[in-house]
Amino acid sequence: MLALSIDMGGTHIGCGVVRDNELLGSSSLDSERAESLESLLPCVTAALKKILRESGVTAGECHGVAVGFPGIVDVRKSRILSTLKKYEDAIRLDLEQWAIEQFGLRLRIENDARMALLGEQYAGAAQGAQDVVMITLGTGIGGAAMMLGKLVRGAHSQAACLGGHLPVNYRGRKCACGNVGCAEAEAAGWSLPQIVRETPGFHESSLAGVAHIDFQTLFAAARNEDAVACAVQQHCLYVWAANAVALIHAYDPEVVVFGGGVMQSPDVILTFVQKYVEEHAWTSWGTPRVRAAVLGGNAALLGAVPLLSEDLRHT
Ligand SMILES: [Zn+2]
């Protein structure tokens, strides 16, 4: 099956043409400073048409357009229900109409972490597993779960996709979602610079001179034994591990897949989380395996074929 695929991330929009579990071509658009999703749609259209041309595929050969979106999404109605300070105009956009007008194709839209889980289960780290939890570490923390081979969605489409908003500290930081001490308020890309700046000793740290603190700079400084970086890295590892245990207790997975941009340095994260899970998760059958996403930034794009193939009548 051929399909067009779009992954709307916090800072970039990925566009691709896929054939089954293979990415024929892709490109990435900077969306960090975009005022609206509507203003980006012409660029998305142009990017997809260019990839189609370069891949030697026509839109007519494709089975549809699959979209991963960072928010609460109703796949059954192809509507975005709620966003969190990103692409806020998306709720009133008719993306189905856009896909028909531009490509003559049907469109399915799903939460981006669910798309990434589908991709990893179809062609990556969770192949063959029917019970999977996905945690994506990036600007925010995305979550998704599959139980008995089916994505967990719930009555209001928000089940299992708010894993990053499970609280890990009720006295913690205020989150953009309205809650306090969410995993992503305590250890994600958007909250990291403030966490680092508020750590005792910051002014003596090598990070004090860094204009844009992200996980790559944090992990690099920790490797150089910067005390603040080591303390914050350790804090983040505990948050992610506690988040994994909470999701294991909730969704009974055999595999927990960690993806997202932070996983460029997976070893330290996987080792820590696997050990924490062995020590702290209550399971009756053994220990879930903790794995790194193998499709990297392409996981959500490769969720296109399983998403477009899914029979939604019983979801
Ligand atoms: Zn939250």
Side-chain angles (χ1 to χ4, degrees):
M1 182 192 283
L2 286 156
L4 299 180
S5 193
I6 304 168
D7 177 21
M8 294 178 178
T11 57
H12 287 85
I13 295 183
C15 301
V17 175
V18 300
R19 178 190 286 131
D20 301 323
N21 59 3
E22 184 191 357
L23 195 57
L24 298 181
S26 66
S27 64
S28 180
L29 306 170
D30 186 350
S31 66
E32 196 156 18
R33 278 170 289 279
E35 286 182 6
S36 66
L37 183 58
E38 191 170 18
S39 69
L40 287 168
L41 281 181
C43 305
V44 173
T45 306
L48 287 170
K49 288 186 173 171
K50 184 163 182 276
I51 302 165
L52 280 170
R53 271 197 312 278
E54 289 169 354
S55 307
V57 173
T58 63
E61 293 174 274
C62 295
H63 278 71
V65 183
V67 183
F69 185 85
I72 301 175
V73 177
D74 185 343
V75 69
R76 291 156 285 211
K77 297 196 175 103
S78 284
R79 302 300 295 191
I80 294 156
L81 302 179
S82 185
T83 67
L84 207 58
K85 298 188 174 163
K86 190 70 196 175
Y87 311 124
E88 300 230 330
D89 64 321
I91 291 172
R92 61 175 175 76
L93 294 181
D94 189 342
L95 293 173
E96 279 187 305
Q97 189 61 31
W98 167 79
I100 288 168
E101 281 172 9
Q102 298 301 327
F103 301 102
L105 293 172
R106 71 188 174 108
L107 175 137
R108 265 190 188 171
I109 185 162
E110 180 53 284
N111 169 271
D112 57 348
R114 288 200 191 115
M115 281 275 286
L117 187 155
L118 284 177
E120 290 291 337
Q121 201 253 356
Y122 181 56
Q127 261 181 311
Q130 301 290 295
D131 299 276
V132 184
V133 155
M134 180 91 204
I135 299 172
T136 59
L137 304 175
T139 311
I141 298 181
M146 174 177 275
M147 296 175 77
L148 303 173
K150 291 190 78 78
L151 280 177
V152 178
R153 293 191 170 103
H156 309 100
S157 301
Q158 65 183 71
C161 73
L162 302 183
H165 299 278
L166 293 179
V168 292
N169 178 6
Y170 79 92
R171 287 179 167 152
R173 292 167 182 279
K174 200 164 183 333
C175 185
C177 76
N179 193 12
V180 174
C182 293
E184 72 164 58
E186 297 290 330
W190 67 262
S191 52
L192 181 68
Q194 199 183 350
I195 294 167
V196 170
R197 279 195 295 273
E198 291 174 8
T199 301
F202 170 68
H203 294 293
E204 287 73 53
S205 164
S206 63
L207 294 170
V210 177
H212 182 71
I213 298 168
D214 57 17
F215 282 106
Q216 214 172 341
T217 52
L218 179 83
F219 279 55
R223 280 194 296 276
N224 289 329
E225 299 183 3
D226 180 284
V228 167
C230 288
V232 174
Q233 178 183 292
Q234 196 70 1
H235 163 77
C236 292
L237 291 172
Y238 273 106
V239 169
W240 298 331
N243 193 229
V245 169
L247 291 164
I248 288 166
H249 287 174
Y251 299 111
D252 190 11
E254 56 184 299
V255 184
V256 178
V257 182
F258 273 87
V262 182
M263 294 306 287
Q264 284 156 358
S265 38
D267 293 347
V268 61
I269 299 171
L270 293 185
T271 308
F272 185 93
V273 175
Q274 183 73 61
K275 184 163 184 289
Y276 190 93
V277 164
E278 279 162 17
E279 288 170 359
H280 298 286
W282 184 10
T283 56
S284 59
W285 56 275
T287 307
R289 284 158 292 157
V290 180
R291 289 186 179 163
V294 299
L295 304 176
N298 295 328
L301 291 177
L302 287 167
V305 166
L307 183 71
L308 290 167
S309 310
E310 190 179 345
D311 182 352
L312 295 176
R313 281 174 297 180
H314 305 294
T315 57

